[in-house]
Each structure stands twice: as C-alpha cells, then as structure tokens.
Amino acid sequence: MTTRNYDILVWGATGFTGSRLVEYLALNAPAGTRVAIGGRNRSKIEAVRAKLAAKHPMAPISLESMDILIGDSQNAQDMHAIASQTRVVASTVGPYSIYGEQLVRACVEEVTDYCDITAEVPWVHDMNRELNDQAVRNNVHIVSLCGFDCIPADLGCLMLAQYSREHIQQPLLHVKGSIVGIRGGVSGGTMATLGNQLGIEARRLWKGVKAQMSGSSTPQSQPPNGKETNRAVVHYDQTLGRWQGFWVMSIINSMATKWAGRELNYGPGFSYAETMTARNVFMAIAQTLGFVYLAALMFFSATRNLLYMLRAIPRPGEGPSDKFMKSGFFSLHLEAFSETEVFYGKVSGSSDPGYSETIKYLGESALCLAFDRDESFRPGIYPPSVAIGNKLLDRLRNRGCQFDVARKIIPASHDSAKKVK
C-alpha cells in the first residue's frame, strides 16, 4: 500500500452515529493517529468538528486539526478520490444498499481497508459475490456488520467454536442466543435503513421470519442431553426458566453467524437462533406481534411518513440523548451444543447497545484494521469474525466488553442490576 495521508477516515461524520464515532476516536485512538472526517456537506461537518473541539479541547487526537474530505456517496469518482487518501474507512452512511456500494468498490480498487455498521446482510452477500475475488487479490479487508448487529452474536459464536475445538475437541453444531436484558434507544438513521431494507428485501426477509416463527431455522437432529433446539419462536426456555419471544435482530444475526460458521468451519450444518426473554407467555406473544406490527408500518411509505409526522419515530440524524445512552445495557445469553456437550457463553455491554456499544465496536474495528493487521487477518468481504476475529475480540475485552465462556451458565450483572423503569 502506498503512503496515505490518513490512518482512518470517518465517512458520514455529520450523522448521529458518525459524529459520536469521531468523538470516540479522538478520545481513544493512540497518540499520533491521523483521523480525517468526511461527508457531502462541508459546512455541517465543520459545525460538528467545532462543537466536538469545544467539548473536548484536550482530546488526545486534536479535533480541530482533523481534515475534512467532501464527496457524494453515489459518485464513483468522489469515492475513489477519498478512498485513495486513507488506510481505513469507517462508514456510518446508510442505507448501505443505496449509499455504500460505490465506496466499497473504491476501497477494493484503491487497496483501502473498510468497516461499517450495516445490518443489510443480503447487500453484504451481494458485495461479496461481486467483489470478493478482487479484494482477496488486492489483500483488502472489507468488514461489514460491525455494530450491535452483529458483533455480539458473531464474535460470541466465534468464541464458542474455538472453545469447543480447544477444550471439548468437538465441532460446534448449534448456538441458541437469548437477549435476557436490554435498554437502548433508536436513531432516525436506523429507522430509515429498516424502512429501506423492508422495501427491497421483503421477500427474502419474510422467509427468515417464517423460519424463525416455525423453528425450522434450527437443526432437526437430536441435540445432546435430550435438549431441544428446534423450537418455535414463542416458547419456554428450560435452561433460563423464562418465556421467549421474537427478537427483531434474530434474522440478521442468524444469517451472519451461519455465514461465518461456513467460512470458519465451526461444525457440520452449524446454525444459530436468537430470541428475547419475556416476563410471561402473554408478554412473549405481545412483543412478537409488536415487532411484526412495527415492520408492517415501516414497510409502507404512507404509514412510515405518518410515523415521522407524529414524531413516533425519529428522523435521520436524530437519536437518544447522551444521558439515556449512558443508562443503557444489554446481556446476551448463549447456549452452545457440540456433539455430546452443552456449554454456555455470555456477551454483555454496559451502555446503549445500538449506539454507545455500536460506536465502540466500529471504532475498535477501525483501529484494529489500522494497527493490528497480521497473518490471522483474512482478506475479502466478510463478517468481523472471519476477517479480524480474535484481534477484535481482544480489543473489545480490553475495552470492558464481556465475552465469556464456561461449562456452566454465566451470570451477568446486566441481567438484573439495571431495570427498565
């Protein structure tokens, strides 16, 4: 790679997540890291830079000295000009199926590593089919899915697969995830991506919904110790002693972890299923129907616009307050099945998962690509576990993220320490 002007470019610096990623890197990147910020509107980016510089005048990475790069995400020439100046791009500009393709193509051709927080797995698959061979030839790492969807499930399954191989000497066959505690907000950018994704991928995603509802996404073979993994989405979990309902990210996480399982050979027919705990069977049914109802409202432009008009959902660029994000948390319980054993994992975070934790995940992914590259990295277009797995896992643990595995169920403080009021 030729000498570049910058180590990391934050693309989409004026957005709700992008501006907070700039702040995260200014406070947490190693001294001397060359960070640039970019987007399509110079005046807005300058305003974000000035606001952050006033808030953190003594930041280790000077915010005032961050250069600004301007371009149109749908203009190939602009994206090539931008990608050629940096070693790593961290993009927060979605929906990625609309605004991400030209930047990814430019990064592959300009030999620039890239990471993002998309949850648009079908789009990532499309980029993989079209550009993966060229990315491998150019030794470029395009790492998507670096947010709350899908880092906890993706790296959690990687952790369990390695434990199964090293300590049990058996392949990993299935992982059952359950969100046992969560508090977090949602931004307008996330809702805009959801609306777009439902519109262009409705048929493919509906197949995933039906598989989750029927339980057909999980193995048909009998697991060890007589434990049943082929469950309908609303069910009583004997291990946790709690009812389970549909979880909105389960389809995305299932697709990503199965893809990683194939690439990393977790085990024959490896699968992943994910639900969310509820207080009782009625709440499990209610939350399941609630997610379906929200998806239906977001699918149609008329009802989506009505929700915006009524301020029922935030517009792009809007999101939860800093105070609310600091009060957030999540805890993901993992139950893993090898050929003869059952063991457990726990992944948790101590702040808003969709934003504070996501910003941490993306920031550390960008720093990992910039400074940790070694022979364990896999070039191409892949989920984080495949491309930079163990190096990123080490970084996140060092930043206070819980990724633990044991033979017995692991308690986590976030299950009960913080209650939603």
Side-chain angles (χ1 to χ4, degrees):
M1 184 184 294
T2 58
T3 302
R4 302 292 175 94
N5 296 330
Y6 312 107
D7 296 310
I8 299 171
L9 165 69
V10 176
W11 184 244
T14 61
F16 186 84
T17 303
S19 62
R20 284 158 178 79
L21 177 61
V22 174
E23 182 178 28
Y24 181 89
L25 291 173
L27 297 175
N28 295 284
T33 302
R34 301 166 301 164
V35 178
I37 55 180
R40 63 182 179 179
N41 188 311
R42 178 173 291 276
S43 62
K44 289 184 178 180
I45 299 174
E46 289 175 343
V48 167
R49 184 178 63 178
K51 180 180 179 180
L52 291 175
K55 181 179 179 182
H56 302 289
M58 304 301 293
I61 307 299
S62 172
L63 285 147
E64 287 183 328
S65 64
M66 289 183 181
D67 288 345
I68 294 173
L69 303 182
I70 301 300
D72 182 342
S73 292
Q74 296 177 307
N75 184 299
Q77 185 175 355
D78 285 359
M79 294 301 96
H80 277 270
I82 285 169
S84 65
Q85 298 185 60
T86 182
R87 296 171 56 226
V88 177
V89 172
S91 176
T92 64
V93 179
Y96 291 84
S97 57
I98 296 175
Y99 300 111
E101 180 175 344
Q102 294 301 331
L103 181 54
V104 169
R105 289 184 181 278
C107 285
V108 170
E109 294 172 11
E110 297 292 342
V111 194
T112 299
D113 287 346
Y114 166 97
C115 54
D116 67 35
I117 52 172
T118 185
E120 300 160 69
V121 177
W123 173 75
V124 181
H125 276 301
D126 290 342
M127 293 294 94
N128 175 274
R129 281 191 293 269
E130 293 182 34
L131 299 171
N132 193 68
D133 289 345
Q134 185 179 4
V136 172
R137 288 195 302 271
N138 290 351
N139 197 28
V140 175
H141 305 86
I142 305 296
V143 191
S144 287
L145 312 168
C146 293
F148 183 50
D149 31 39
C150 305
I151 288 282
D154 181 43
L155 294 188
C157 287
L158 173 68
M159 168 187 73
L160 293 169
Q162 292 175 337
Y163 182 90
S164 189
R165 284 195 298 267
E166 295 169 6
H167 297 276
I168 302 176
Q169 286 80 51
Q170 293 180 1
L172 182 65
L173 301 181
H174 176 66
V175 174
K176 166 64 169 67
S178 178
I179 298 291
V180 296
I182 190 167
R183 176 183 173 91
V186 63
S187 80
T190 296
M191 298 308 294
T193 297
L194 173 62
N196 176 72
Q197 188 73 355
L198 286 170
I200 66 174
E201 296 290 349
R203 188 172 300 172
R204 192 162 7 181
L205 289 173
W206 177 240
K207 290 181 180 179
V209 170
K210 290 194 293 184
Q212 291 287 332
M213 293 294 186
S214 67
S216 61
S217 63
T218 53
Q220 301 299 316
S221 58
Q222 182 67 22
N225 300 331
K227 285 183 176 277
E228 181 59 57
T229 59
N230 187 34
R231 310 176 178 114
V233 65
V234 176
H235 65 275
Y236 186 79
D237 190 296
Q238 297 289 343
T239 300
L240 294 172
R242 299 171 74 176
W243 281 94
Q244 305 293 305
F246 180 71
W247 169 235
V248 66
M249 287 163 44
S250 60
I251 302 165
I252 302 301
N253 287 335
S254 177
M255 288 191 287
T257 52
K258 287 178 184 178
W259 181 10
R262 291 192 300 270
E263 296 292 340
L264 298 175
N265 193 27
Y266 290 169
F270 170 78
S271 62
Y272 179 82
E274 194 173 76
T275 53
M276 183 177 182
T277 59
R279 294 179 182 177
N280 52 54
V281 64
F282 304 106
M283 290 296 293
I285 294 171
Q287 73 187 30
T288 300
L289 294 177
F291 282 130
V292 173
Y293 183 62
L294 175 62
L297 291 176
M298 289 298 296
F299 179 81
F300 298 102
S301 60
T303 51
R304 186 164 63 246
N305 291 334
L306 179 61
L307 292 176
Y308 283 133
M309 184 176 68
L310 296 174
R311 309 293 293 176
I313 58 175
R315 294 183 179 275
E318 301 175 341
S321 67
D322 288 344
K323 181 179 179 180
F324 183 87
M325 288 192 292
K326 288 179 181 178
S327 73
F329 67 96
F330 82 93
S331 183
L332 172 64
H333 166 83
L334 299 169
E335 186 173 13
F337 300 87
S338 68
E339 292 175 336
T340 62
E341 301 290 333
V342 180
F343 53 104
Y344 303 93
K346 181 73 73 175
V347 181
S348 70
S350 58
S351 60
D352 186 306
Y355 293 94
S356 300
E357 295 298 310
T358 284
I359 290 160
K360 185 188 304 179
Y361 297 158
L362 183 59
E364 294 302 323
S365 296
L367 292 168
C368 186
L369 287 167
F371 300 119
D372 297 345
R373 184 192 287 208
D374 64 13
E375 65 278 358
S376 70
F377 280 29
R378 180 172 171 178
I381 301 175
Y382 294 115
S385 59
V386 179
I388 57 175
N390 283 315
K391 289 289 186 178
L392 180 57
L393 194 54
D394 289 342
R395 275 188 166 272
L396 294 179
R397 282 171 168 157
N398 289 336
R399 287 294 179 186
C401 302
Q402 182 186 23
F403 284 88
D404 290 335
V405 58
R407 293 295 183 104
K408 295 183 179 180
I409 295 176
I410 306 168
S413 59
H414 304 299
D415 292 357
S416 57
K418 296 183 178 181
K419 297 293 186 180
V420 177
K421 296 181 180 180

